[in-house]
Amino acid sequence: MTGTPFTEIASSHAALVLGLVLALALIVSAVLVAILRPLLIRHVMAAPNARSSHKVATPQGGGVAVVAATVLAVACGYFLLPETATSAPIVVFVAVIVLAVVGMIDDMRPLGALPRLILQALAVAAIIAVLPNDMRALPVVPLWLERALMLIAGIWFVNLVNFMDGIDWMTAAEVVPVTIGLAIAGALGAIPAEATVAAVALLGAMLGFAPFNRPIARIFLGDVGSLPIGLLLFWLLALLAGAGHLAAALLLPLYYLADATITLIRRTLAGEKITQAHRSHFYQRALHGGGGLTVMRIVVRIMAVNVVLIALAVTTLLHPSPAIHALALVAGCVVVGWLLYRFERNT
């Protein structure tokens, strides 16, 4: 693990800095959304189509505010905590900004699948390159193989966050609990201070954006938000896994991982074009099925499951026993599986 854990920093100072980072990110994000929304209405509107979940044209690109607020709050947090002075976060946030630019271009004028994939791969590779060699998530395999698997996982994670951003409040319902879980991990010393600051900053930025995206949304996140958010979460979860907490790193985003991955497998087996927009995710089936659930009922259920996943992840952080980790993973799979089953049945 790189950097200094919060357990080695004066608790009162660390808590104050994290509180300031959270508040700053929240306020800046909300203010920027309010300022940018009229501009986005004129230039970046998402028109409803056969596969979308909204019925009227809605501005997209609110992710600009989320990313800007996160970067600003992180910079302030790092300034106030000299213990976070490492070079890795600079590379990470340059990659985050690059993906935000790619996402904004794609929001305004869709890019082809190949250029997007190449740029995403380069961003993920840059993050993996700054991970220390002694950081191992899968120590039973050679380092080169682990890094190759991480590259594939990172590209998939960036895309699945983008794919899953399909209804109002969906990304907030996932990112807020995951970042809370990561902040708790930081408080327990499971990830370094610079990662904890980043998790809290992203949490605040999403909380600032959420009121504008609540059903019925007045603005969408857009690729400019979902892509860099996916990349930033991948970095944080990779650090958590590399610190010996693979179970927690899998549990926190387990709903997204399960819904997106199972949906991809199902569509591939059905011979569908996987790069084409669709409404096949479990939560989309619940919304658009015969007895469709409302958006609010869907996101509340996802958030409730995520609370359970946080509790299971924290349990694995507090108890190093492999048996407990295995049981927690099984319990997480059962809970997520139950939710997917209910979504499939529109109940």
Side-chain angles (χ1 to χ4, degrees):
M1 182 169 64
T2 60
T4 305
F6 265 110
T7 51
E8 298 179 16
I9 303 174
S11 59
S12 59
H13 178 56
L16 177 61
V17 170
L18 290 181
L20 290 173
V21 167
L22 180 69
L24 178 62
L26 191 156
I27 293 169
V28 171
S29 178
V31 170
L32 284 179
V33 172
I35 292 173
L36 290 172
R37 187 172 179 273
L39 180 64
L40 295 172
I41 288 175
R42 292 196 295 271
H43 298 288
V44 195
M45 294 292 286
N49 55 51
R51 294 181 176 86
S52 62
S53 299
H54 60 289
K55 297 180 180 180
V56 297
T58 305
Q60 64 180 352
V64 172
V66 174
V67 174
T70 301
V71 172
L72 176 62
V74 164
C76 290
Y78 289 174
F79 176 77
L80 294 173
L81 284 173
E83 296 87 351
T84 59
T86 65
S87 59
I90 296 175
V91 175
V92 170
F93 281 96
V94 168
V96 164
I97 292 170
V98 167
L99 272 199
V101 172
V102 171
M104 175 55 81
I105 294 172
D106 202 39
D107 285 334
M108 299 178 68
R109 183 178 299 174
L111 297 171
L114 183 58
R116 280 171 55 104
L117 184 63
I118 292 173
L119 291 168
Q120 290 166 7
L122 290 173
V124 173
I127 287 180
I128 293 174
V130 298
L131 296 176
N133 288 337
D134 60 351
M135 196 203 83
R136 302 298 306 275
L138 296 170
V140 296
V141 303
L143 178 62
W144 67 267
L145 179 57
E146 179 184 274
R147 294 302 194 249
L149 293 173
M150 288 182 70
L151 178 63
I152 296 171
I155 295 170
W156 174 229
F157 198 84
V158 168
N159 280 283
L160 75 83
V161 172
N162 177 244
F163 295 158
M164 292 291 288
D165 185 35
I167 59 174
D168 303 340
W169 258 9
M170 171 56 77
T171 302
E174 182 70 12
V175 174
V176 168
V178 170
T179 49
I180 289 174
L182 287 164
I184 294 172
L188 295 173
I191 56 175
E194 64 262 26
T196 310
V197 170
V200 172
L202 180 56
L203 169 61
M206 284 304 301
L207 290 174
F209 170 76
F212 299 89
N213 187 241
R214 70 182 300 273
I216 298 174
R218 289 182 286 160
I219 191 170
F220 295 150
L221 195 63
D223 288 2
V224 65
S226 59
L227 295 178
I229 286 173
L231 185 65
L232 184 54
L233 287 177
F234 166 72
W235 174 58
L236 297 171
L237 293 167
L239 288 175
L240 184 60
H245 304 292
L246 179 60
L250 292 173
L251 282 165
L252 287 176
L254 188 57
Y255 171 73
Y256 258 34
L257 289 172
D259 192 325
T261 303
I262 293 172
T263 299
L264 176 67
I265 293 171
R266 291 168 74 171
R267 296 188 69 223
T268 301
L269 293 176
E272 299 179 24
K273 187 176 180 180
I274 60 175
T275 57
Q276 191 173 51
H278 63 91
R279 295 199 301 193
S280 303
H281 288 291
F282 286 85
Y283 74 89
Q284 290 174 319
R285 291 169 180 264
L287 180 65
H288 301 291
L293 298 175
T294 64
V295 170
M296 284 300 296
R297 290 181 67 185
I298 290 171
V299 296
V300 166
R301 292 182 182 195
I302 291 172
M303 291 194 74
V305 164
N306 279 329
V307 170
V308 176
L309 294 176
I310 290 174
L312 292 171
V314 172
T315 299
T316 67
L317 296 176
L318 295 174
H319 300 281
S321 167
I324 291 179
H325 288 199
L327 287 173
L329 282 169
V330 170
C333 290
V334 169
V335 171
V336 171
W338 170 83
L339 182 60
L340 296 179
Y341 172 75
R342 297 300 297 268
F343 280 171
E344 187 81 355
R345 293 175 58 87
N346 302 121
T347 59

